[in-house]
Every structure is written in C-alpha cells, then in structure tokens.
Amino acid sequence: MAFPCLRILDTTTVTPSGPALPQSSIPLTFYDVWWLGFPPVERVFFYRLAPDADLPRLLSNLKGSLSTALRAFFPLAGNVRLTPGAASTRHDIFYAPGDGVPFTVAEYDGADLASHEPRQVADIAQLVPRLPGGGALLAVQATVLRQRRGLALGVTLQHAACDGAGSTNFLHTWAATCAGAELPAPPVIDRALIGDHQGLYDHYAKNMISSKELESVVKLPTDQLMATFTLSGGQLQSIKDAVAGQAVGRGQPPPRCSSLVAALGFIWCCHFRAKAGSALKAGGFGAEETYFSLAVDHRRWSKPPVPTAYLGNCIGPAICTAPKKELALAGASSLLTACAVIAAGIEKAVAAPEWETLMERIKEVAPTGVLSVAGSPRFLVYSLDFGFGRPVKVEIVSVARTGAVAVAECGALGTGLEMGISLPPAGMKAFQRCFTDALACLSSDQCN
C-alpha cells in the first residue's frame, strides 16, 4: 500500500554476522502455539536527530549492529512452519543459512507523529513494516522524518517467536551493540526448558481461536485514533491512597496495589465508563460482568525456574472479572473494585494457573470485549539508545487492532507510567473526558 507522505527508498535482507550458522529447528511450546492466530506486535520508536547527523552512516550502523545481534538471536531470522513429518499441529521455527530479516529504509514528509495527542492510526501504521509471507518472524523499518529531523524505527514481530521480555532483550542487545555499550545477558534458546506434562500443546493447537473469531478483534476502523495518557508518581500514589481508604472504610484489608495495578485499575474504570455511555447514565446494569486481562511472566514461577533471558514465550493471562454495576460507580468505589480484582487475578494466575481451560476461557470472554494489556514498564523501552539518544516517544501500534492498552514507563515525566489507547473519535473524546474527570476526583474529597 502506498501512502502520500511515505516513500520507500530501499529494502535489504540483514543476515546474522560471521560464519554461517548451522540449520536449526526450534519447536514451539504450548506457550508459543496459541499466538499463531494473533496479529504480530508492531512497535515504533521515535528519535530526534542532531542537525548534523550523518544519516547514511547512522543507517549503516543500524544494519551492521542488527546483523551482529541476530547472530545471538538467530531464531528471529528464521520462519515458523508446520514441522515436516510430525503431527499436523506441530510447528517449529526453522532457520537455514542465508535466512535474514527484511530491513526497509523509508522517508516520511508528513506531520509530526511523536506526540501524546490523538493521531490517526493510519498515519502511524505506515512507519511499521509488514511481515513478509512464508512465516517470517521479524521485520524492521527505519524511516527518516524530514520535517522534524528525526528517525522512526519500526519493528514488527510475530508473537509466537517470543514474548515481550524476549523481544525487548533483543532490542536492548541491538541498541547496545549499535551504541558500543554493555550488552544485556545473551538469550537462552533451549525450548526443552518448557515442560508439557499435561499435553497442553496439542489441546491449544486444536482449539486455537479461528480467524472468524478474531475478525471482530483485529478489524480496524478507518478513522481509528491513538493517544497516550500519563499518570505521574504522585497520581499513582493518590490512586493507592484512595483504594486503601475505601477498603478501610468497608472494613476490609486493602488489596496489594502496586503502581502498575493502580494504573491498570484506573484505566480500566475510565475505559469502561467511556464505552458504557448511555447505559452508565441510565444505570442499566444487572448481573453483567466485564473482563480485563494482563500477561503474567511465569519464568520465575516455573518448576524449575526458566532463565530470565529465555527467548520464547513464557507468559499466561490473568483474566479478571468485575460486575459492571460496580465499575459504573463513581469515585474510589470503582477503583477499589478494579484494583482488587486485578491484584487477585495476578495472584491466582501465579499460584494456580488454569492451563487446561485457558483456551476455552479466552473464547468465552473475547466476544464481550475484554480489555487487555500490551507491554510492561519492566521492558524499559525508553532506555533504547542506539547511539543517537533515547526515544522521545514509543508506540505499540498493534493495540489499534487488538484493543489492548499499551503500557510503558513514562518517557516524558521520568517517573510514573504511560498508557497508549486506541479508539474511534467519539470513543476517544469520551475516554479523554472520563480520564480528566477521574483525575479531578483524585484531587478532591470525592475519592476519599
């Protein structure tokens, strides 16, 4: 697809550096296989460049350092496929000498997109590359931003290859290699670390969400917007205080409310109230429930523990349920409900994950419009310095298709958290209003 403000200059294939690596087949695990039906994860990192930046050298360094990083992360240069000669549901990542990652260089002459304000998703989406056919796992696009003398680095990754911890370890390795900085821990690629004593792989593979079931999830309205909302450290503390105060007032112990739980509970309330619309005003909720889902990293909880640098998926969802009529309440009451439910959902996912019924549970809640989370402040995406400074803005563009909330450490404030939201124009206005009203409530006596 051609965009009026984007010009593709070049596309090359970047292969792992050094002597040819041997052919490899890396089996997918039960953590990996259920991601095959989902859209890839699309991120874009916006950088400002010095007026005298040497663009040809900068682009050459990006390619060279990517090649070096791919030597350690070679599975990302491969392709996912059905394993030849195996059962019909078995997949692997196949790497052969000569495989590589498409690296596109482009030029963008449109408006500045590195902003927190609502922008058209269609404009931002042109800065991330599409995965080529044939099971490719990774693609990169470096787009020169002429009007503001910057660079947008777009990265598209098939989630079945690895989770956010694995993909951002790769990105940090690439950035450190390019900048000549200290490298993170090398990836651990051994998929035998993931046991499957319950036959979960076959169950998940046979019950994957179909393309028809995903259609409503990945359908993207033409007028879809994307905006970023921030919560400072002080605001997060106010949320925690309001939740604790409400719990004490009810004579119950407060939930374990970390900064992340506080932020997610706050956003869930705002998102629910924005989408509830007329039903909220009419009080039209009976026993209906609404759902929230976030990923729990099981590396440290596995027996035996899986290394932190494991390259693959090792996450499972914590699916949280709340009565709509409770989230519809104003003030700290809904915050307590949301934060308590999320905290309890995380604890349950860690202590007693229900792997056997996971796929059925996902299919059950997906049609209701579950709000999910992409990203994590632990990934430190705003520290990705390739030698020309840290990014001024980071977006997970793919949340526009999945409807998830993109979460990261706050790049603008230095403390706190930021959340990327994608909605149609009317929904975005409603969310902005709910977010502003909820912040005002925090600073008044109404939330205490």
Side-chain angles (χ1 to χ4, degrees):
M1 179 182 293
F3 295 90
C5 297
L6 186 79
R7 187 162 63 101
I8 301 297
L9 304 178
D10 181 50
T11 299
T12 55
T13 299
V14 177
T15 58
S17 64
L21 294 167
Q23 179 175 296
S24 298
S25 171
I26 302 165
L28 297 193
T29 72
F30 73 90
Y31 282 120
D32 305 318
V33 67
W34 67 287
W35 290 107
L36 285 174
F38 285 83
V41 180
E42 300 168 330
R43 282 187 172 91
V44 60
F45 302 83
F46 291 93
Y47 293 88
R48 300 294 184 218
L49 300 179
D52 60 347
D54 186 341
L55 284 172
R57 182 177 179 182
L58 184 152
L59 294 170
S60 177
N61 287 344
L62 282 173
K63 290 182 183 179
S65 55
L66 174 59
S67 176
T68 302
L70 284 174
R71 184 158 188 87
F73 289 83
F74 70 89
L76 301 183
N79 299 273
V80 66
R81 64 172 188 176
L82 281 168
T83 305
S88 60
T89 59
R90 290 286 160 176
H91 292 77
D92 64 11
I93 294 173
F94 180 69
Y95 172 82
D99 284 347
V101 172
F103 188 106
T104 298
V105 177
E107 190 175 78
Y108 174 78
D109 286 321
D112 183 27
L113 298 175
S115 169
H116 282 46
E117 297 303 312
R119 292 139 294 144
Q120 291 284 340
V121 171
D123 291 334
I124 306 172
Q126 60 188 309
L127 304 179
V128 293
R130 297 229 179 145
L131 288 177
L137 300 174
L138 176 66
V140 174
Q141 179 175 317
T143 305
V144 179
L145 309 174
R146 287 296 183 189
Q147 288 195 355
R148 293 295 296 269
R149 193 63 183 180
L151 183 81
L153 192 61
V155 180
T156 301
L157 179 75
Q158 165 56 255
H159 207 315
C162 61
D163 55 25
S167 65
T168 51
N169 187 34
F170 159 71
L171 291 172
H172 281 286
T173 300
W174 179 17
T177 302
C178 193
E182 183 179 354
L183 296 176
V188 177
I189 296 172
D190 184 8
R191 298 294 172 99
L193 293 167
I194 306 297
D196 185 8
H197 307 299
Q198 299 169 294
L200 294 173
Y201 181 101
D202 292 330
H203 178 64
Y204 290 175
K206 292 174 182 176
N207 293 279
M208 281 195 295
I209 297 177
S210 67
S211 56
K212 184 176 181 180
E213 290 171 308
L214 276 175
E215 187 175 350
S216 61
V217 178
V218 301
K219 188 176 181 180
L220 185 63
T222 56
D223 60 350
Q224 190 86 348
L225 301 175
M226 179 171 285
T228 300
F229 298 82
T230 61
L231 291 170
S232 68
Q235 289 167 333
L236 291 170
Q237 187 58 52
S238 295
I239 296 170
K240 296 178 190 179
D241 293 343
V243 168
Q246 185 72 13
V248 170
R250 295 185 186 182
Q252 63 188 61
R256 296 182 62 181
C257 194
S258 65
S259 292
L260 180 59
V261 168
L264 295 180
F266 186 88
I267 289 295
W268 189 12
C269 290
C270 293
H271 192 273
F272 173 76
R273 295 177 68 84
K275 297 200 80 171
S278 57
L280 185 68
K281 295 177 182 177
F285 298 118
E288 303 165 78
E289 295 180 322
T290 183
Y291 303 95
F292 188 92
S293 175
L294 70 156
V296 172
D297 191 331
H298 286 273
R299 285 169 173 79
R300 62 181 295 193
W301 310 111
S302 298
K303 297 180 181 179
V306 174
T308 303
Y310 171 73
L311 182 65
N313 286 283
C314 197
I315 56 174
I319 300 177
C320 314
T321 307
K324 288 185 176 181
K325 62 182 180 181
E326 291 191 23
L327 282 196
L329 298 174
S333 180
S334 59
L335 281 177
L336 173 59
T337 296
C339 291
V341 164
I342 292 173
I346 294 171
E347 291 179 7
K348 180 180 179 182
V350 168
E354 297 176 342
W355 298 118
E356 300 91 338
T357 58
L358 173 61
M359 197 60 66
E360 290 76 11
R361 182 65 170 152
I362 291 172
K363 289 186 176 185
E364 176 189 347
V365 304
T368 68
V370 58
L371 181 62
S372 59
V373 177
S376 168
R378 295 185 298 107
F379 298 159
L380 301 177
V381 291
Y382 278 97
S383 68
L384 280 167
D385 185 349
F386 288 83
F388 41 85
R390 297 187 176 194
V392 296
K393 190 72 185 75
V394 180
E395 301 281 8
I396 303 181
V397 186
S398 46
V399 300
R401 294 188 181 279
T402 63
V405 178
V407 180
E409 77 276 20
C410 190
L413 299 178
T415 62
L417 298 174
E418 66 176 49
M419 283 70 61
I421 301 286
S422 184
L423 292 164
M428 186 64 76
K429 286 183 180 179
F431 184 87
Q432 288 175 309
R433 183 172 59 253
C434 291
F435 188 85
T436 301
D437 290 348
L439 285 181
C441 177
L442 279 179
S443 59
S444 70
D445 293 335
Q446 301 175 51
C447 274
N448 298 316

